[in-house]
Amino acid sequence: MPGFNYGDDQDDVYTPYRRVLVTGATGLLGRAVYKEFKNNDWDALGSGYNRARPRFLKCNLLDEDAVRGVIQEFQPHVIVHCAAERRPDVVEHHTEAAMNLNVHACATLAKEAAGIFLIYISTDYVFDGRNPPYGENDAPNPLNLYGKSKLEGEREILRHCPGAAILRVPILYGEVEKVEESAVTVLWDRVQEGAESCTIEHCQQRFPTYTNDVAHVCRNMAERALQDSSLRGIFHYSGKEQMTKYEIACAIADAFNLPSSHLIPMTEQPAGAGAQRPQNAQLECSRLELLGLSVEPSPFKTAIRNSLWPFQHDKRWRQTVFH
């Protein structure tokens, strides 16, 4: 399309007829979604903001004219809205900016998405975690501002674009650019400390989910929606392996043949631990499965090795694996 020479496309190569716009394409999930569509015969346009250039289009999702211009020129068949402030503690401290991105940008995008299949990425944090597992029709009751903002984003999406799909997912991990990009991979530094003991939370149950699997589900949904316009509403997708953060850290250590004896489970939340998290917000995912749109979650140890492979510079790890 004229004016959108971002990414890997060249003017003289084949351009697929199916077009997808991926917001937040510079982020952890957005990169995986962009790559999934790009590698499967879609013309993909990724947008970002602070980290957009040179690979992606820079677009302020709060600017209605900018959003309208991108959509009118690119004319996507599908939009996957990944852009969000997803860090609960940041949302608590920078509430206005987070609400702008998590709520108001949803309204801006949805208003311009008439005739386009829109997938909005939401979260298990819309639930309070007191009575799992949660189906798509269970009543949300978020405990923190992040969950509340994402729930409001869902409502804005469906209010302005009733044919949209909401895809709720839990804690994500994948091919990170830095380990701090995911609440799963950030544990890598603690695993590597080795000689120094450290405590890790062992209270809340989580279901770490691989971004490549979520991206595959998004493509499945998009391709079905082009054939069946009745695909809409709320969907859940989740990994199946249940772990606390302590158990995640131990699994990471095991995946790389590293010791975990220095990791100490902490069974009580310390005071001032940040935004409140649900105890167990397990998602029940049968709707996607019944429609044949789900994918079997990748085994955690295999996927975490893929995710952290570029960060294996620790001397102990190299000695353990290669000697």
Side-chain angles (χ1 to χ4, degrees):
M1 299 294 291
F4 292 113
N5 294 320
Y6 297 93
D8 305 318
D9 283 340
Q10 302 296 327
D11 291 339
D12 57 348
V13 298
Y14 162 71
T15 301
Y17 75 92
R18 301 176 298 183
R19 294 181 298 277
V20 59
L21 170 64
V22 181
T23 73
T26 57
L28 176 63
L29 178 59
R31 294 194 303 270
V33 171
Y34 176 85
K35 183 178 178 181
E36 173 70 24
F37 279 89
K38 189 84 170 172
N39 290 346
N40 286 279
D41 207 30
W42 282 75
D43 184 8
L45 174 65
S47 75
Y49 193 62
N50 291 329
R51 296 179 290 168
R53 301 293 176 86
R55 188 177 182 193
F56 298 117
L57 174 72
K58 183 171 184 176
C59 180
N60 180 0
L61 296 178
L62 299 175
D63 184 336
E64 293 185 12
D65 291 335
V67 171
R68 185 179 303 115
V70 170
I71 291 175
Q72 288 181 351
E73 186 163 357
F74 185 62
Q75 297 181 7
H77 299 96
V78 174
I79 299 173
V80 185
H81 183 31
C82 300
E85 177 48 74
R86 54 171 184 75
R87 298 165 294 179
D89 296 334
V90 172
V91 175
E92 297 284 336
H93 293 100
H94 302 279
T95 305
E96 184 178 358
M99 294 298 284
N100 280 337
L101 183 56
N102 290 359
V103 181
H104 303 317
C106 289
T108 301
L109 198 62
K111 288 174 185 176
E112 303 300 329
I116 301 168
F117 182 60
L118 173 59
I119 302 174
Y120 171 59
I121 304 298
S122 190
T123 175
D124 59 342
Y125 276 26
V126 300
F127 298 110
D128 59 23
R130 298 186 180 109
N131 190 29
Y134 293 94
E136 293 87 352
N137 295 323
D138 286 330
N141 183 34
L143 298 179
N144 56 40
L145 286 176
Y146 167 66
K148 291 174 182 176
S149 73
K150 293 297 287 183
L151 181 59
E152 285 302 310
E154 290 184 9
R155 291 169 175 165
E156 289 295 302
I157 291 285
L158 293 176
R159 181 160 73 94
H160 296 290
C161 188
I166 308 297
L167 181 61
R168 294 174 179 154
V169 295
I171 186 171
L172 298 177
Y173 69 98
E175 282 76 24
V176 291
E177 293 181 344
K178 53 184 179 180
V179 293
E180 295 82 8
E181 227 180 347
S182 160
V184 173
T185 56
V186 73
L187 297 171
W188 173 245
D189 288 339
R190 298 193 198 182
V191 170
Q192 285 197 107
E193 284 171 4
E196 297 185 19
S197 63
C198 64
T199 58
I200 301 180
E201 180 268 313
H202 189 45
C203 310
Q204 295 152 358
Q205 301 298 319
R206 293 172 169 84
F207 294 81
T209 301
Y210 192 35
T211 53
N212 288 9
D213 294 337
V214 178
H216 192 171
V217 168
C218 288
R219 182 171 63 84
N220 285 350
M221 294 174 69
E223 293 177 352
R224 176 70 61 83
L226 293 187
Q227 301 171 341
D228 179 3
S229 61
S230 69
L231 188 74
R232 62 181 65 189
I234 297 172
F235 299 85
H236 290 171
Y237 180 74
S238 173
K240 294 180 180 178
E241 296 172 76
Q242 178 174 330
M243 293 181 268
T244 64
K245 277 198 172 181
Y246 165 75
E247 290 167 332
I248 291 172
C250 290
I252 292 172
D254 190 42
F256 291 103
N257 295 320
L258 289 170
S260 59
S261 57
H262 65 293
L263 304 174
I264 301 171
M266 180 173 59
T267 55
E268 292 185 5
Q269 282 292 99
Q276 187 179 4
R277 269 79 164 170
Q279 182 68 25
N280 182 352
Q282 180 181 6
L283 298 174
E284 195 275 317
C285 307
S286 61
R287 188 178 181 202
L288 277 176
E289 292 167 2
L290 289 171
L291 290 170
L293 298 174
S294 190
V295 299
E296 183 64 24
S298 300
F300 179 77
K301 289 180 183 178
T302 301
I304 199 64
R305 280 195 291 265
N306 293 339
S307 302
L308 286 169
W309 189 262
F311 298 93
Q312 271 85 85
H313 304 305
D314 181 83
K315 183 178 179 181
R316 289 181 298 103
W317 179 87
R318 292 197 303 270
Q319 290 174 337
T320 304
V321 175
F322 295 116
H323 292 275

